[in-house]
Amino acid sequence: MTSLPEPRSIHVSAAVIVDADGRLLLVRKAGTTAFMQPGGKPEPGESAGETLSRELAEELGIRVDPDDLRGLGRFTAGAANEPGFLVVADVFDVDIGSQRPVVGAEIAELRWVTRADADDVEVAPLAREYFLPD
């Protein structure tokens, strides 16, 4: 009996940003169809919080100090845009205060989503399984 190969993993930092109406901020990167939490892959030498702080500035114009991020833990789910890969995400609760996210970097679209909205939108497994508000 042959065993299946272990799935390869992609390490990222991801944000849980919820607005006053309880909706989760999701983004869709250019050339993809799934909406996912903002964030991305680390640069060499970056901590998970530093990665997320940089990615939020690049992708959404949001400025958040890495020390102000509240860690929620490490979560694993299937990768939305890379079949056969798992996403291993260091996830942080992010309070953006009165800042308004704007599309930047490789982001094509952003949406504020509830679990009910997710029936009409392709949501990445990580967000769908763990973070969509009820």
Side-chain angles (χ1 to χ4, degrees), residues 44-126:
E46 278 184 330
S47 70
E50 290 167 340
T51 297
L52 187 57
S53 180
R54 176 183 51 77
E55 289 282 349
L56 291 174
E58 292 172 1
E59 294 181 351
L60 299 170
I62 294 171
R63 306 280 178 216
V64 179
D65 188 294
D67 293 334
D68 293 334
L69 301 171
R70 187 171 65 89
L72 298 175
R74 182 169 281 179
F75 297 82
T76 302
N81 298 317
E82 300 183 55
F85 282 80
L86 290 176
V87 168
V88 178
D90 289 311
V91 181
F92 296 87
D93 182 38
V94 181
D95 181 354
I96 63 171
S98 62
Q99 296 182 80
R100 295 183 56 102
V102 294
V103 170
E106 70 271 18
I107 303 303
E109 186 178 357
L110 65 84
R111 285 194 191 178
W112 294 97
V113 178
T114 65
R115 185 162 297 281
D117 299 328
D119 293 338
D120 302 320
V121 177
E122 183 182 347
V123 176
L126 183 75

